[in-house]
């Protein structure tokens, strides 16, 4: 608490502290450990003034660059553009982070106002002809500038970004593009709001305890707590959030309950006040218009122009090479499930709402393994020790809790990351438990990026991971499923990419790489989760502290490829659906679900499953443009990670030489071409053979 200590002499001339004007936290550099945002001090009323001040600051910087009488140089143009407004960076990093992780009604209202304005400012920046002409002047004589390699990449990417955002368009087309981008920005806001509201509105109320048979006790306890919070004490409420939805589909003996959950999920955001179908129709039309303005034959071609794949056709070819083996595997899995179901005396055909349930039954039957016997060894804090141990063994870093660090929610934990010499590397934050103000899924983001100042001093990053795991109960901590353990390692892989970066330029820091390379480090680190050497580091029973027994480790290893046809097909199917949306140039109205069904029919989608995400809740591709016509990048990156991990399998999963080469990939960020980084790591270009082998499809 701030206070004033006044001497008698000064008392008459000093204004009381209680009357001092409060400072907006965004308006100056944070006076906190490692410049962590002072979340507890930030008020809703701070965002808009800080945003407006930040935009004004950025515009002044742009004017200074454009009107600089000196000839364009890398320093006075490209570097200057990297640092337009510290104020804008501070306010937008917090707003974008909390809009996803802790979106209260008040914050959502502010975000709904600011994001379209921010989109408009981005257009203003990327269509500023004076700025572009300075960039173009540098680009046209780039070979004579004597630039360092990372500087050359930054210049080339800046020029590319300008052209892909309309810099070469006529004034009329620029105006048209701005209108389309503004329309899309508002449509993305509407899509995300509908989805969040639809997720939170859906519930299945159970009032007969017999209907809960088979569902894990911790899930049942959380359902009782949810019911109490919704004014339905004595009953059980299940929601669409993964920690509630998946245990019902996987374990509930009551088939009707499974069907309700599956239909609730796959029918989400398709009707009523939260209907995303008309929103998607407008998004697809606007994207097709945007591609046309930019001179591309379709939106998918526009979105892959700056990716490793180069074209959507190249991405589709990769996907189809995996799709057919995955479908064949699904047929085998369904046959096993049907045979097991028949042997239990059932007379029904396996339906989509039976897939998770009977996949678990087959795992028990084939491998004598039930996920319920695994979960006690994977409390969330134990898995956190595991990811930290992995990072320590591979890259020599440690994670130390920061006492009393600023945080945006009580669930958040904050760590200082240090290297082997004890030097500060980064701040790492975790936020793992589900809540109504958090969007579905799991992700990594940076609140502060890393770069090197002109005087040689380093700014180090602040990185966070977000999950949607079950909350601890009165009797047990949050116990993770196999998929959730993999998710935690996956997002931590993104985190390492952000934390270990040594790129000099802000625009190349951490995960600022090609979209179809960004998933490589995350998926690569998933491979460590269930390695026997890794399990001995962290898999301890939450009650007894007992190390996971070798017999259970062997079962996990034997079952590693279980249900892989299903997991591959639903992922590849979703990626192909995404590309098909990107190919579409509609002339009239669009029946969203009819189009989606036509894609499924064209692919020969097995009747027992559907796309991982159906269009109305496919946030990756309709919530913004980050993965639009780019969901395939998960598979593209898996080709890389499967091939790279085979090197560690050959030499040892903690081999120091291999780890040093992978650390170089993480440190480089976007300062080097991703294929060059990969070939330096692996010694050859990747093929899909390793992926098919590791998924048991070849």
């Amino acid at each position: 608490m701030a206070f004033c200590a006044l001497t008698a002499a000064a008392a008459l001339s000093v204004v009381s502290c209680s009357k001092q004007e409060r400072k907006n936290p965004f308006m100056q550099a944070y006076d906190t450990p490692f410049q962590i945002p002072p979340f507890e001090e930030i008020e809703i009323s701070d965002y808009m003034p800080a945003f407006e001040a930040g935009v004004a600051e950025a515009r002044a910087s742009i004017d200074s660059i454009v009107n600089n009488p000196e000839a364009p140089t890398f320093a006075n143009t490209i570097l200057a553009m990297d640092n337009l407004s510290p104020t804008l960076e501070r306010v937008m990093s917090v707003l974008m982070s909390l809009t996803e992780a802790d979106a209260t009604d008040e914050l959502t209202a502010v975000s709904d106002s600011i994001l379209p304005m921010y989109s408009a400012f981005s257009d203003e920046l990327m269509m500023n002809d004076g700025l572009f002409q300075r960039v173009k002047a540098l680009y046209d004589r780039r070979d004579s500038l004597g630039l360092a390699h990372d500087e050359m990449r930054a210049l080339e990417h800046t020029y590319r970004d300008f052209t892909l955002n309309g810099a070469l368009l006529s004034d009329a087309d620029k105006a048209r593009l701005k209108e389309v981008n503004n329309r899309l920005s508002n449509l993305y806001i509407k899509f995300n709001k509908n989805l969040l509201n639809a997720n939170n509105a859906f519930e299945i109320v159970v009032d007969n305890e017999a209907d809960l048979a088979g569902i894990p006790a911790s899930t049942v306890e959380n359902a009782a707590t949810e019911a109490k919070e919704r004014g339905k004490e004595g009953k059980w409420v299940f929601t669409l959030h993964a920690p509630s939805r998946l245990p019902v589909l996987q374990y509930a003996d009551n088939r009707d309950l499974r069907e309700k959950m599956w239909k609730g999920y796959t029918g989400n955001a398709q009707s009523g006040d939260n209907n995303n179908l008309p929103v998607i129709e407008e998004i697809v039309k606007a994207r097709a218009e945007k591609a046309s303005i930019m001179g591309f034959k379709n939106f998918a071609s526009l979105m892959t122009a700056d990716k490793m794949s180069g074209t959507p056709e190249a991405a589709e070819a990769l996907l189809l090479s995996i799709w057919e083996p995955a479908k064949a595997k699904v047929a085998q899995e369904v046959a096993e499930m049907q045979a097991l179901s028949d042997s239990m005396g059932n007379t029904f055909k396996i339906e989509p709402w039976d897939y998770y349930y009977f996949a678990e039954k087959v795992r028990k039957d084939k491998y004598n393994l039930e996920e319920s016997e695994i979960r006690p060894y994977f409390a969330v804090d134990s898995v956190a020790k595991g990811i930290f141990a992995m990072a320590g063994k591979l890259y020599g870093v440690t994670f130390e809790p920061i006492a009393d660090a600023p945080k945006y929610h009580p669930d958040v934990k904050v760590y200082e990351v240090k290297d082997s010499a004890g030097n500060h590397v980064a701040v790492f934050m975790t936020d793992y438990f589900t809540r109504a103000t958090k969007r579905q899924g799991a992700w990594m983001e940076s609140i502060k990026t890393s770069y090197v100042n002109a005087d040689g001093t380093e700014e180090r990053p602040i990185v966070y991971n977000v999950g949607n795991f079950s909350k601890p109960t009165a009797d047990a901590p949050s116990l993770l499923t196999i998929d959730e353990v993999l998710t935690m390692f996956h997002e931590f892989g993104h985190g390492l990419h952000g934390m270990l970066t040594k790129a000099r330029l802000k625009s190349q820091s951490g995960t600022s790489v090609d979209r179809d390379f960004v998933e490589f480090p995350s998926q690569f680190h998933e491979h460590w989760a269930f390695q026997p050497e890794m399990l001995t580091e962290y898999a301890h029973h939450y009650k007894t502290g007992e190390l996971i027994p070798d017999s259970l480790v062997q079962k996990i290893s034997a079952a590693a490829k279980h249900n892989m046809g299903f997991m591959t097909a639903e992922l590849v199917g979703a990626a192909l659906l995404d590309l098909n949306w990107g190919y579409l140039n509609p002339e009239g109205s669009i029946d969203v679900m009819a189009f989606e069904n036509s894609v499924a029919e064209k692919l020969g989608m097995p009747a027992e499953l559907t796309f991982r995400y159906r269009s109305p809740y496919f946030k990756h591709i309709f919530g913004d443009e980050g993965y639009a016509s780019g969901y395939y990048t998960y598979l593209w990156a898996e080709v890389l990670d499967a091939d790279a991990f085979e090197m560690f399998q050959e030499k040892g999963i903690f081999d120091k030489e291999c780890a040093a080469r992978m650390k170089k990939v993480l440190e480089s960020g976007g300062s080097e071409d991703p294929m060059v980084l990969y070939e330096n790591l692996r010694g050859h270009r990747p093929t899909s053979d390793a992926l098919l082998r590791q998924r048991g499809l070849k």
Side-chain angles (χ1 to χ4, degrees):
M1 180 179 293
F3 63 91
C4 284
L6 304 180
T7 65
L12 295 177
S13 61
V14 179
V15 177
S16 167
C17 279
S18 63
K19 295 182 180 179
Q20 285 183 351
E21 183 178 354
R22 176 183 171 276
K23 292 183 178 179
N24 186 322
F26 294 123
M27 296 296 198
Q28 56 278 314
Y30 302 136
D31 184 20
T32 56
F34 309 113
Q35 300 178 50
I36 301 172
F39 295 107
E40 293 92 339
E41 298 176 17
I42 296 170
E43 298 179 359
I44 290 294
S45 59
D46 292 328
Y47 286 96
M48 186 61 78
F51 172 76
E52 291 172 340
V55 169
E57 186 176 64
R59 284 174 174 153
S61 297
I62 293 168
D63 288 344
S64 177
I65 297 169
V66 171
N67 297 316
N68 188 339
E70 297 179 5
T73 66
F74 185 84
N76 70 22
T77 302
I78 305 300
L79 267 186
M81 288 173 58
D82 237 6
N83 297 280
L84 292 177
S85 170
T87 303
L88 190 59
E89 286 183 26
R90 284 191 293 267
V91 67
M92 289 309 298
S93 68
V94 172
L95 178 66
M96 299 292 278
S97 298
L98 298 193
T99 298
E100 298 286 282
D102 200 23
T104 63
D105 291 341
E106 295 82 6
L107 185 68
T108 299
V110 170
S111 176
D112 288 354
S113 298
I114 288 179
L115 290 183
M117 297 165 64
Y118 186 63
S119 175
F121 170 72
S122 298
D123 282 343
E124 176 188 323
L125 170 67
M126 299 309 293
M127 296 184 203
N128 184 306
D129 190 60
L131 200 57
F132 175 63
Q133 290 306 322
R134 289 185 70 90
V135 173
K136 185 175 185 301
L138 286 172
Y139 181 78
D140 288 345
R141 56 189 182 91
R142 60 192 180 280
D143 292 334
S144 64
L145 297 175
L147 297 178
H149 183 70
D150 57 349
E151 293 172 339
M152 180 66 81
R153 280 183 59 79
L155 172 57
E156 291 174 344
H157 281 210
T158 302
Y159 180 81
R160 181 196 68 186
D161 291 345
F162 267 98
T163 59
L164 288 178
N165 281 279
L168 296 175
L169 297 176
S170 67
D171 288 344
D173 281 343
K174 284 180 181 178
R176 223 174 118 216
L177 182 59
K178 287 180 180 179
E179 291 176 3
V180 173
N181 283 339
N182 184 64
R183 186 157 83 248
L184 282 167
S185 178
N186 283 290
L187 287 167
Y188 298 148
I189 289 171
K190 189 172 184 180
F191 181 95
N192 290 324
K193 185 185 293 185
N194 284 349
L195 181 54
L196 182 64
N197 290 340
N199 280 335
N200 289 332
F202 180 86
E203 64 178 22
I204 296 175
V205 181
V206 175
D207 53 17
N208 183 353
E209 190 169 4
D211 291 338
L212 305 174
I215 302 174
S218 59
T219 304
V220 171
E221 186 175 347
N222 281 326
T225 301
E226 186 73 29
K228 185 176 181 180
E229 291 175 354
R230 298 189 181 210
K232 298 171 182 175
E233 191 166 3
K235 299 181 181 181
W236 298 267
V237 169
F238 296 93
T239 70
L240 294 181
H241 295 284
S244 180
R245 179 185 82 248
L246 293 177
V248 169
L249 292 172
Q250 193 166 5
Y251 297 110
D253 294 331
N254 186 315
R255 192 172 187 238
D256 290 339
L257 181 60
R258 300 199 305 269
E259 183 177 0
K260 284 180 184 177
M261 182 61 80
W262 187 86
K263 289 184 174 179
Y265 181 61
T266 57
N268 194 26
Q270 294 181 36
S271 61
D273 294 338
N274 301 316
N275 186 358
N276 266 336
L277 299 180
V279 182
I280 293 171
E281 181 176 8
E282 292 304 310
I283 288 174
V284 173
K285 289 179 178 178
R287 285 176 171 176
E289 183 179 0
K290 179 175 180 175
S292 175
I293 295 170
M294 294 296 298
F296 287 87
K297 63 181 179 180
N298 53 48
F299 183 72
S301 296
L302 169 63
M303 295 304 289
T304 52
D306 61 348
K307 306 296 190 297
M308 290 175 71
S309 62
T311 67
E313 289 80 12
E316 184 176 17
L318 168 73
L319 295 173
L320 290 174
S321 73
I322 303 169
W323 174 248
E324 292 303 326
K327 275 202 308 182
K329 191 69 172 178
V330 167
Q332 295 174 20
E333 291 170 357
V334 171
E336 288 181 322
M337 294 179 197
Q338 192 69 61
L340 182 60
S341 177
D342 293 347
S343 72
M344 295 166 63
N346 297 317
T347 57
F348 54 78
K349 176 184 175 295
I350 296 291
E351 298 286 355
W353 49 89
D354 299 315
Y355 211 112
Y356 281 97
Y357 180 77
F358 280 99
E360 182 65 19
K361 295 290 187 188
V362 169
R363 174 158 50 193
K364 168 65 174 174
D365 187 61
K366 285 182 70 174
Y367 306 105
N368 191 27
L369 179 66
E370 289 185 281
E371 195 153 56
S372 58
E373 66 178 314
I374 301 172
R375 290 180 69 180
Y377 294 95
F378 297 118
V380 68
D381 287 345
S382 294
V383 182
K385 291 178 182 176
I387 59 177
F388 295 161
M390 173 186 69
K393 284 178 171 289
L394 288 173
Y395 310 120
V397 291
T398 58
F399 294 74
E400 300 177 6
I402 303 176
D404 302 321
K407 55 183 68 174
Y408 60 83
H409 190 276
D411 288 346
V412 173
K413 294 183 178 182
V414 187
Y415 304 87
E416 181 185 5
V417 187
K418 295 182 179 181
D419 64 19
S420 57
N423 300 311
H424 176 75
V425 172
V427 170
F428 181 57
M429 310 171 75
T430 64
D431 177 11
Y432 284 136
F433 305 128
T434 187
R435 56 178 172 268
T437 55
K438 182 189 291 185
R439 76 162 170 87
Q440 288 273 40
W443 61 95
M444 164 270 178
E445 192 54 82
S446 296
I447 292 179
K448 177 176 177 286
T449 55
S450 170
Y451 55 97
V452 178
N453 291 303
D455 62 4
T457 58
E458 283 189 83
E459 299 290 337
R460 296 306 302 165
I462 300 172
V463 171
Y464 65 96
N465 277 176
V466 180
N468 268 284
F469 307 141
S470 298
K471 297 177 182 178
T473 68
D475 300 321
S478 176
L479 302 177
L480 305 188
T481 66
I482 289 175
D483 283 347
E484 287 170 336
V485 172
L486 289 171
T487 294
M488 202 156 156
F489 274 78
H490 177 103
E491 298 305 335
F492 187 66
H494 281 310
L496 289 168
H497 204 179
M499 288 182 274
L500 299 182
T501 181
K502 288 188 175 180
R504 292 190 305 138
L505 306 177
K506 188 182 296 184
S507 61
Q508 296 173 344
S509 175
T511 57
S512 298
V513 299
D514 290 0
R515 176 64 74 178
D516 40 9
F517 191 68
V518 76
E519 295 297 336
F520 166 54
S522 56
Q523 295 177 180
F524 173 77
H525 287 93
E526 287 183 41
H527 292 286
W528 270 259
F530 296 107
Q531 295 297 314
E533 293 170 71
M534 193 74 245
L535 290 172
T536 61
E537 292 284 339
Y538 77 94
H540 295 264
H541 198 285
Y542 78 95
K543 285 184 178 178
T544 66
E546 172 198 8
L547 179 67
I548 189 168
D550 289 342
S551 59
L552 202 49
V553 173
Q554 291 166 6
K555 289 180 184 180
I556 293 172
S557 180
K561 295 180 177 65
H562 173 67
N563 207 32
M564 197 57 74
F566 170 83
M567 289 188 283
T568 306
E570 65 162 8
L571 173 61
V572 177
L576 287 165
L577 173 64
D578 170 37
L579 286 177
N580 275 271
W581 276 122
Y583 290 143
L584 194 60
N585 289 312
E587 295 182 358
S589 61
I590 306 170
D591 185 328
V592 172
M593 300 316 295
F595 178 79
E596 181 181 298
N597 290 336
S598 72
V599 174
E601 184 177 353
K602 179 175 69 174
L603 294 175
M605 174 71 74
E608 297 82 8
L609 56 82
T610 186
F611 303 103
R612 172 172 288 189
Y613 302 106
R614 304 198 73 181
S615 301
Y617 52 91
F618 205 162
K619 180 179 171 63
H620 284 80
I621 69 168
F622 291 124
D624 56 39
E625 290 183 7
Y627 280 90
S629 293
Y631 194 67
Y632 76 89
T633 58
Y634 285 97
L635 274 300
W636 188 276
E638 191 172 345
V639 168
L640 306 182
D641 80 69
D643 185 58
F645 184 64
E646 286 196 343
M647 176 177 70
F648 281 82
Q649 287 178 306
E650 293 163 5
K651 298 186 177 182
I653 66 166
F654 294 115
D655 180 80
K656 292 188 181 300
E657 181 187 349
C658 293
R661 282 154 63 181
M662 184 62 199
K663 190 176 184 183
K664 180 64 177 176
V665 173
L666 300 174
E667 291 174 342
S668 297
S671 65
E672 179 56 275
D673 180 88
M675 191 55 76
V676 171
L677 288 176
Y678 185 81
E679 290 187 28
N680 289 342
L681 168 70
R682 192 64 175 101
H684 61 243
R685 295 181 71 85
T687 70
S688 60
D689 290 348
L691 181 151
L692 295 173
R693 282 193 295 270
Q694 290 193 14
R695 284 184 171 255
L697 305 178
K698 182 176 181 179

